[in-house]
Amino acid sequence: MEQEKYNDLKLGERGAIISIIAYICLSILKLVIGYISDSDALEADGLNNTTDIIASIAVLIGLKISQRPPDKNHRYGHRKSETIASMVASFIMAAVGLEVLIEAGTSIFQGTKESPDIMAAYVGVFSSLVMYFVYLYNKKLALKINSKAVMAAAKDNISDAWVSIGTAIGILGSQLNMPWLDSITAIVVGLLICKTAWDIFREASLELSDGFDEDKIHLYNNVIKELDGVKGVKEIKGRNYGNNEVIDVVILVNSTLGIKEAHDIATYVEKIMMDDHGVYDVHVHVEPS
């Protein structure tokens, strides 16, 4: 099972690499065409893709470090490295989002903006199609290897596809004697960058502070209570190490049982949680009912 986990992490690198290549090509294309066509929206979209490069690199680095086995300073392994990298990426994304907002706002107040060239809209549509296909690939890969990181990358891919569509719409609208619409679209893109940064930060901080899904805790509690030999659940806690869930549970068993019988029940609880519910590791403490 452990080897399979490491193989999945290795396979997950492929999705991150494809995202990085796509983002590098598209960001260069958007920034160059955005500058030539004088489109704030396309340039903002290009800057958005530069933050996506950083985020994808963070995922790639995290996946690589997470593959390291436990050592004397990391007895639980290195699975949280990916989460730390995501948090760093969120700070960088927020800084770029604020820069986009400031530049777009300044352009509106200056009032000298002209309609960008229609070529910028074509680039937006093309970029949207590219990112949609990258999204389909990463989503399929994430489901195959059950990777939260790759699925998060896929969600970022589809959000970028929608941003590019919005960019194209804003540029096309600016052709109708509304040049300010291009800058308004840039502001929307900036807000989307900031929102994505906040979402990544919130999820990463929850995991690093050992937060855990309450619904899953409730589900696992009910499952364990129904197992043969378990008289009740005194306490249950959960935490994440990268994509792996670790559960700590205190179960109550019949006080007349011997040590071996109680141990067998604990082992059964571990087996059910790991085999049927995909929990990576289960720590079971037994107390008399």
Side-chain angles (χ1 to χ4, degrees):
M1 182 178 178
E2 184 67 21
Q3 185 60 45
E4 184 179 344
K5 287 280 186 180
Y6 283 112
N7 290 339
D8 287 345
L9 288 170
K10 194 70 178 176
L11 189 59
E13 293 179 14
R14 186 186 303 172
I17 291 172
I18 289 176
S19 292
I20 291 170
I21 293 173
Y23 284 135
I24 288 175
C25 295
L26 292 179
S27 63
I28 293 174
L29 177 64
K30 290 174 183 177
L31 290 172
V32 171
I33 300 300
Y35 176 78
I36 294 174
S37 62
D38 194 27
S39 171
D40 290 340
L42 191 61
E43 287 189 62
D45 197 4
L47 286 173
N48 177 36
N49 286 156
T50 62
T51 65
D52 294 321
I53 294 171
I54 298 169
S56 296
I57 289 175
V59 170
L60 181 60
I61 293 174
L63 288 169
K64 284 185 174 294
I65 296 178
S66 295
Q67 295 173 48
R68 295 179 181 175
D71 55 36
K72 65 179 181 180
N73 292 324
H74 301 85
R75 298 292 185 179
Y76 293 100
H78 297 77
R79 301 301 176 93
K80 286 195 175 184
S81 301
E82 177 184 333
T83 311
I84 295 172
S86 296
M87 178 168 281
V88 172
S90 73
F91 294 142
I92 299 172
M93 292 177 71
V96 173
L98 290 173
E99 181 182 355
V100 169
L101 289 173
I102 292 171
E103 290 185 358
T106 302
S107 178
I108 288 178
F109 286 114
Q110 285 177 346
T112 57
K113 179 74 179 173
E114 294 184 358
S115 296
D117 192 284
I118 191 66
M119 177 172 56
Y122 298 148
V123 171
V125 173
F126 170 76
S127 300
S128 177
L129 291 173
V130 171
M131 291 318 305
Y132 179 71
F133 284 111
V134 174
Y135 155 74
L136 291 178
Y137 177 84
N138 278 337
K139 181 182 178 181
K140 182 178 180 181
L141 178 61
L143 292 173
K144 179 180 179 181
I145 67 175
N146 190 29
S147 170
K148 293 179 182 177
V150 178
M151 182 57 78
K155 291 179 179 178
D156 191 31
N157 297 150
I158 193 63
S159 113
D160 289 323
W162 284 113
V163 167
S164 293
I165 283 291
T167 298
I169 292 173
I171 295 169
L172 290 171
S174 70
Q175 301 293 313
L176 305 175
N177 295 322
M178 293 185 293
W180 47 267
L181 191 57
D182 182 65
S183 296
I184 292 295
T185 304
I187 290 177
V188 173
V189 172
L191 290 173
L192 287 172
I193 296 173
C194 290
K195 182 183 182 302
T196 302
W198 168 250
D199 290 342
I200 293 174
F201 171 80
R202 184 175 59 181
E203 184 174 347
S205 60
L206 177 68
E207 184 171 325
L208 289 173
S209 59
D210 283 340
F212 197 80
D213 188 339
E214 291 184 13
D215 292 335
K216 281 193 173 183
I217 284 292
H218 183 67
L219 170 64
Y220 295 160
N221 182 75
N222 290 336
V223 169
I224 294 172
K225 283 195 301 185
E226 298 298 322
L227 297 179
D228 292 339
V230 178
K231 298 299 182 181
V233 175
K234 182 177 181 180
E235 184 181 20
I236 182 170
K237 296 181 289 186
R239 58 192 186 278
N240 287 289
Y241 287 104
N243 297 323
N244 299 323
E245 294 179 352
V246 176
I247 300 298
D248 299 288
V249 59
V250 179
I251 62 172
L252 302 175
V253 300
N254 195 316
S255 60
T256 62
L257 294 178
I259 294 177
K260 182 180 183 305
E261 293 172 305
H263 178 267
D264 288 343
I265 293 174
T267 301
Y268 179 59
V269 170
E270 294 173 358
K271 176 177 173 57
I272 292 297
M273 296 306 298
M274 295 171 70
D275 293 349
D276 294 355
H277 298 276
V279 178
Y280 177 71
D281 199 7
V282 185
H283 303 147
V284 181
H285 177 70
V286 178
E287 290 189 6
S289 173

